[in-house]
Each structure stands twice: as structure tokens, then as C-alpha cells.
């Protein structure tokens, strides 16, 4: 097969980053992207707010009831479904992989049975002989966006980045709402292809369905900045409309895999480059500072961490907001002290989404400073090397950033 232009760029960026210690993380992501493209694997995820019927839809598309569904919030772990003989395995945070029977799945991925993920499940991998999965299609069921269970929005957000195509699920029993709009606004540039499915059409009449579809179409076009969107009215329960949706995904899989993969890899590559350039800027600025100055600034960060820790311990609620405030404060302080941008992912919260426990909050707040200190420590190490090495190092990072910018400029543009 002819090597694609984007794969060449991904490989080039991977080679540039793989020996650069400032960009270990970005090199790892670029390596995984390269492998995925070489294998022509396509990841299709079902994403949407809780209870829209994502898992039921997954089962309907697969023609195999492998995913647990329910009236109460169910899916609390990312569940990947791959082609193969029917089997299930649970993967835990500590690296253990445990084969289990399908009947026992909900013990691990239902919020009710595995509260706050006390079992430490990291993901679930299922295999099904469904023809939908043939030829390297990886199907993913995700926890509901904006549900009050911790991290679910974060998990869905992260999975948007890993997906090539997304089935975004809406449902006629609830008009598209602020949480869905906000989520799409933030993530629309992450996946190359969107299929908007509108579920539960069995509970409305034709007239109401038309009104709902017209309303959604208008809103989604506006949101996505396009003239048309792919919309599929379905009932995961009765099976109505499922064939059309399945066919659309499979036809694209056959005809347009290259196109989808290209588009999605370009988006992912842009994300990797931005992150790497950001990281390099971080290094360069600090490296060109006087050693004594750097020490002073490092002390100031320590002081900030200690003050924040004390403040955090005295906190009694609104932890999501407080954590965002800490991140913003750290970013501001770093900007001031090191004259460089230090980006944190700021999680949007709604009253509904506020569920962080104090323990989690303190842990996350500590992590913010740990991460920062790890980066700062590496920079201080550089200051101990001799001047020639430091100068060469600065020249090298400048050159690397220049090359990365060149690749970024050659990528297709994004809609705003
Ligand atoms: N009437 C009707 N009910 C549906 C349909 N699809 C799903 N449901 C019901 O909606 C509820 C939620 O379904 P799930 O598939 O568990 O929803 P989910 O989006 O995976 O939920 P979470 O994993 O908790 O985010 C269940 O009671 C389903 O039976 C549908 O097409 N029509
Ligand atoms: Mg589910």
C-alpha cells in the first residue's frame, strides 16, 4: 500500500521526538498513532450523555448483547469491543487482566456494583464475532458525559481524542442540552467523522420526531460549523434505523477509511505538535535564566504549593471549581515567574457534575504540583551541566521546535 502523506509526517515527528527527553509523552503518543495508521485500524466510539442508550445501541449495532444496559447509570469504564470469539476481560489499574463471564460484567462496569471504582478497573475488553467489527474496526462504549460520577466527562473527552469516528448519541426524550452542546464545542475538532444518532424514536410520533430532528440539525450545523451533518434517527430498542447507521459506518469504513484515518491522524498530529512545542518553550525559557534566578523561582513555586495545600485542606465543598482555581493560579504563577505558558486542562463543571470527594480533590491538587515540580526539576538538572552543553541544548530545542512548526503549517486547517 502507498504510504500516506500524513503517515510520513507522523513518522517524521515521531523520529524527531523520540530522543528528546522533554517530549517523552508526545513521542509515545506519536508512536502509537504511527502504529495505528500502519495497521489501518479505525476506532469508532459511541459517546453521549448518560442514559441516552449508548450501550443498548452498541448491542443493536453488533447484533450481540454484550454490553450491560440499565435504567440507572451503568457504564462506568471504557469498554472496547474487538472482533473475535466471544470473550470478556477486565483490565485493572495495577496491570492485572482478568477473564470473566459476560454475565458478571456489570460487577465491574456498573457504577452501582463497583462504586467509585473501588475495584480499580481501568478498562474492559470484549470480543464478539459481529461482522461489524471485521477488518480491524475497534468499537468503544464510553461512560456518559456529564453524569455525576467522577471523571466520566474526562474519560469521554479523552476518548474523543483517541477516536477516528464518533457516533454521538442524542435521544428524543431530552432536547439537546447545555452539557452536550458544551462537550461538542470543546471536542468537535478531535474526531474526523461524526455520526449523530437520535435514539428512542419509538417513544414519539412522526410529527414530534420531525420537529426534534429539524431542531437538532440546525443546532448541530451551527455548532460544528458545517452546512450538513450526518443524522440517524434510531431506536436501539426496536432496531428501527440501526441498519442505516450501521451501513453508513461500514460503507465509510470500506470506501473512506484512508480519508477518515488521514483526517483524524492530522488532527491528532496537530495536538501532539502543539503539546511538544509548548513543552519545548517551557524548557528553553527556563534554561536561559540565571541559575540563582531559577532557584528563587523554584522556591516561589514551593511556597505557592504549601499555601495552596493549606487552603485546600480547609476546603469543604465545590471541589471541582476549587481545583480549576488552583490550576489557573499555578498557570498564572508559572507565567509570571518563568515567562512561559503552562497549560492545564480546565474541567468545566455544572451543579449536576459536582461530585468530587475531598480526598480526590486533595490528591488531584497535589498531583498538579507534583507534575510541575517534576518538569522544573529536569530543568534545574540542565543548569548543572557545563555551558557548552546548555548552549547546544538550546540550539537543538530551537531547531526541533522550528521543524515541528513546519510540519504543523503543512497540515490541513481547522474550522473554528
Ligand atoms: N424506549 C427506548 N428505550 C431505550 C432505547 N435505547 C435504550 N433505552 C433505554 O434507556 C435506558 C438506558 O440505556 P443504556 O443503553 O444503559 O444507556 P447508556 O447511555 O449506555 O447509559 P450509561 O451507560 O449509564 O451512560 C435503558 O433503560 C434502556 O432500556 C430506545 O431506543 N427506546
Ligand atoms: Mg452504557
Amino acid at each position: 500500500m502507498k504510504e500516506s502523506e500524513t503517515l510520513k509526517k507522523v513518522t517524521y515527528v515521531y523520529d524527531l521526538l523520540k530522543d528528546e527527553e522533554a517530549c517523552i509523552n508526545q513521542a509515545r503518543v506519536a508512536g502509537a498513532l504511527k502504529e495505528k495508521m500502519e495497521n489501518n485500524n479505525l476506532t469508532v466510539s459511541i459517546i453521549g450523555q448518560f442514559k441516552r442508550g449508548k450501550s443498548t445501541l452498541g448491542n443493536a449495532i453488533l447484533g450481540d448483547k454484550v454490553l450491560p444496559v440499565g435504567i440507572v447509570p451503568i457504564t462506568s469504564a471504557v469498554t472496547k469491543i474487538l472482533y473475535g470469539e466471544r470473550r470478556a476481560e477486565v483490565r485493572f489499574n495495577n496491570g492485572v487482566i482478568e477473564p470473566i463471564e459476560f454475565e458478571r460484567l456489570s460487577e465491574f462496569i456498573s457504577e452501582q456494583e463497583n462504586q467509585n471504582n473501588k475495584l480499580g478497573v481501568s478498562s474492559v475488553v470484549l470480543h464478539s464475532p459481529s461482522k461489524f467489527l471485521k477488518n480491524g474496526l475497534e468499537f468503544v462504549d464510553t461512560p456518559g458525559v456529564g453524569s455525576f460520577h467522577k471523571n466520566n466527562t474526562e474519560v469521554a473527552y479523552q476518548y474523543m481524542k483517541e477516536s477516528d469516528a464518533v457516533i454521538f448519541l442524542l435521544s428524543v426524550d431530552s432536547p439537546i442540552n447545555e452539557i452536550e452542546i458544551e462537550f461538542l464545542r470543546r471536542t468537535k475538532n478531535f474526531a474526523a467523522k461524526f455520526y449523530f444518532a437520535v435514539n428512542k424514536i419509538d417513544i414519539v410520533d412522526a410529527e414530534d420526531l420531525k420537529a426534534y430532528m429539524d431542531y437538532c440539525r440546525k443546532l448541530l450545523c451551527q455548532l460544528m460549523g458545517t452546512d450538513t451533518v450526518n443524522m440517524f434517527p434510531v431506536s436501539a430498542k426496536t432496531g428501527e434505523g440501526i441498519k442505516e447507521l450501521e451501513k453508513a459506518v461500514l460503507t465509510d469504513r470500506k470506501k473512506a477509511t484512508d480519508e477518515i484515518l488521514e483526517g483524524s491522524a492530522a488532527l491528532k498530529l496537530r495536538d501532539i505538535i502543539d503539546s511538544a512545542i509548548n513543552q519545548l518553550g517551557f524548557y528553553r525559557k527556563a534554561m536561559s535564566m540565571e541559575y540563582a534566578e531559577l532557584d528563587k523561582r523554584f522556591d516561589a513555586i514551593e511556597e505557592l504549593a504549601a499555601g495552596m495545600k493549606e487552603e485546600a485542606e480547609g476546603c469543604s465543598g465545590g471541589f471541582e471549581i476549587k481545583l480549576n482555581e488552583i490550576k489557573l493560579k499555578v498557570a498564572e504563577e508559572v507565567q509570571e515567574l518563568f515567562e512561559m505558558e503552562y497549560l492545564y486542562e480546565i474541567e468545566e463543571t455544572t451543579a449536576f457534575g459536582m461530585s468530587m470527594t475531598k480526598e480526590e480533590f486533595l490528591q488531584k491538587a497535589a498531583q498538579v504540583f507534583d507534575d510541575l515540580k517534576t518538569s522544573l526539576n529536569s530543568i534545574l538538572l540542565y543548569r548543572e551541566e557545563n555551558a557548552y552543553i546548555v548552549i547546544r541544548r538550546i540550539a537543538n530545542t530551537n531547531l526541533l521546535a522550528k521543524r515541528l512548526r513546519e510540519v504543523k503549517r503543512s497540515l490541513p486547517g481547522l474550522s473554528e
Side-chain angles (χ1 to χ4, degrees):
M1 198 187 86
K2 182 177 138 300
E3 195 183 40
S4 81
E5 278 309 305
T6 314
L7 178 54
K8 273 187 212 158
K9 287 174 192 169
V10 171
T11 307
Y12 175 64
V13 168
Y14 171 69
D15 288 339
L16 283 179
L17 296 178
K18 73 179 193 300
D19 299 320
E20 172 52 66
E21 58 185 298
C23 303
I24 292 172
N25 219 10
Q26 290 82 3
R28 194 182 46 78
V29 181
L33 179 59
K34 177 173 173 299
E35 196 181 313
K36 182 179 154 74
M37 290 191 81
E38 282 166 350
N39 294 331
N40 211 22
N41 285 344
L42 197 74
T43 303
V44 180
S45 306
I46 307 185
I47 291 183
Q49 218 181 333
F50 64 98
K51 294 293 102 202
R52 295 296 182 252
K54 296 179 296 297
S55 304
T56 312
L57 178 70
N59 287 338
I61 291 176
L62 293 168
D64 193 3
K65 285 197 175 138
V66 286
L67 298 161
V69 300
I71 195 91
V72 287
I74 287 290
T75 314
S76 62
V78 165
T79 308
K80 296 179 192 174
I81 311 121
L82 307 169
Y83 187 70
E85 219 167 280
R86 232 165 169 270
R87 67 190 161 87
E89 64 191 29
V90 179
R91 293 170 180 237
F92 295 89
N93 290 330
N94 64 3
V96 172
I97 299 175
E98 192 182 313
I100 53 154
E101 294 101 52
F102 280 88
E103 298 70 47
R104 289 188 52 211
L105 265 178
S106 68
E107 284 173 37
F108 301 92
I109 53 175
S110 116
E111 187 58 44
Q112 271 62 41
E113 294 181 60
N114 176 20
Q115 274 182 7
N116 285 324
N117 194 15
K118 58 177 187 281
L119 299 175
V121 173
S122 66
S123 69
V124 169
V125 179
L126 310 179
H127 285 81
S128 159
S130 166
K131 67 175 185 337
F132 183 74
L133 303 169
K134 271 190 173 170
N135 308 318
L137 190 147
E138 180 183 88
F139 201 34
V140 186
D141 184 25
T142 63
V145 171
S147 74
F148 37 87
H149 298 298
K150 60 165 188 166
N151 285 337
N152 281 358
T153 305
E154 228 169 277
V155 169
Y157 183 83
Q158 197 49 41
Y159 238 84
M160 285 290 273
K161 285 194 174 186
E162 302 202 10
S163 306
D164 302 299
V166 166
I167 298 177
F168 195 87
L169 192 58
L170 300 161
S171 162
V172 290
D173 57 358
S174 153
I176 184 163
N177 62 31
E178 218 21 72
I179 294 176
E180 291 165 322
I181 291 172
E182 206 38 53
F183 185 79
L184 280 170
R185 211 193 298 278
R186 285 172 63 205
T187 58
K188 65 175 182 182
N189 285 328
F190 289 167
K193 183 98 192 167
F194 277 90
Y195 304 90
F196 290 99
V198 173
N199 196 24
K200 307 194 187 180
I201 59 169
D202 54 287
I203 60 172
V204 289
D205 59 26
E207 201 180 322
D208 282 350
L209 178 61
K210 186 178 177 314
Y212 188 93
M213 296 293 285
D214 289 347
Y215 163 75
C216 279
R217 181 170 289 113
K218 223 159 113 189
L219 201 83
L220 290 171
C221 282
Q222 228 173 38
L223 243 172
M224 306 302 285
T226 50
D227 296 337
T228 53
V229 284
N230 295 309
M231 284 187 78
F232 300 85
V234 298
S235 167
K237 193 174 179 182
T238 66
E240 200 182 341
I242 300 294
K243 278 256 158 334
E244 286 77 1
L245 173 60
E246 187 190 335
K247 206 172 143 208
V249 178
L250 287 182
T251 308
D252 286 343
R253 168 70 178 143
K254 223 172 175 171
K255 285 198 191 144
T257 299
D258 288 350
E259 201 182 300
I260 296 174
L261 265 181
E262 285 284 290
S264 122
L267 295 174
K268 290 172 176 59
L269 187 58
R270 179 185 295 270
D271 201 51
I272 294 167
I273 292 176
D274 281 344
S275 164
I277 290 178
N278 191 36
Q279 195 66 16
L280 289 172
F282 186 29
Y283 267 64
R284 247 189 346 251
K285 281 258 169 56
M287 273 191 297
S288 53
M289 266 181 206
E290 292 292 325
Y291 192 39
E293 276 298 305
L294 204 52
D295 267 351
K296 238 195 285 176
R297 286 167 166 81
F298 195 73
D299 288 347
I301 291 286
E302 283 287 359
E303 217 170 284
L304 177 73
M308 286 275 177
K309 187 165 178 259
E310 206 171 299
E311 212 181 303
E313 272 159 7
C315 250
S316 58
F319 297 130
E320 279 85 351
I321 294 172
K322 191 70 206 166
L323 187 66
N324 280 347
E325 282 172 2
I326 290 180
K327 288 176 175 176
L328 288 170
K329 180 80 193 142
V330 171
E332 195 183 300
E333 190 80 6
V334 171
Q335 175 89 43
E336 210 162 286
L337 290 170
F338 296 90
E339 290 166 43
M340 69 196 173
E341 216 180 13
Y342 195 74
L343 293 179
Y344 282 108
E345 203 169 283
I346 297 297
E347 281 304 314
E348 282 149 354
T349 63
T350 61
F352 202 36
M354 304 266 275
S355 65
M356 193 183 286
T357 63
K358 181 155 181 177
E359 196 183 315
E360 278 173 77
F361 163 64
L362 289 176
Q363 208 183 338
K364 284 192 177 193
Q367 190 66 42
V368 168
F369 285 103
D370 278 356
D371 290 349
L372 180 66
K373 273 190 274 176
T374 308
S375 306
L376 291 177
N377 271 325
S378 330
I379 293 162
L380 282 175
L381 275 184
Y382 278 124
R383 301 297 305 174
E384 292 180 12
E385 291 171 15
N386 74 44
Y388 172 71
I389 291 175
V390 173
I391 289 166
R392 207 175 56 181
R393 169 88 188 136
I394 292 174
N396 282 345
T397 54
N398 278 337
L399 184 64
L400 178 55
K402 182 169 168 273
R403 289 188 172 145
L404 289 171
R405 276 192 210 96
E406 279 165 9
V407 180
K408 189 178 163 185
R409 272 198 296 276
S410 76
L411 293 171
L414 291 181
S415 77
E416 238 336 282

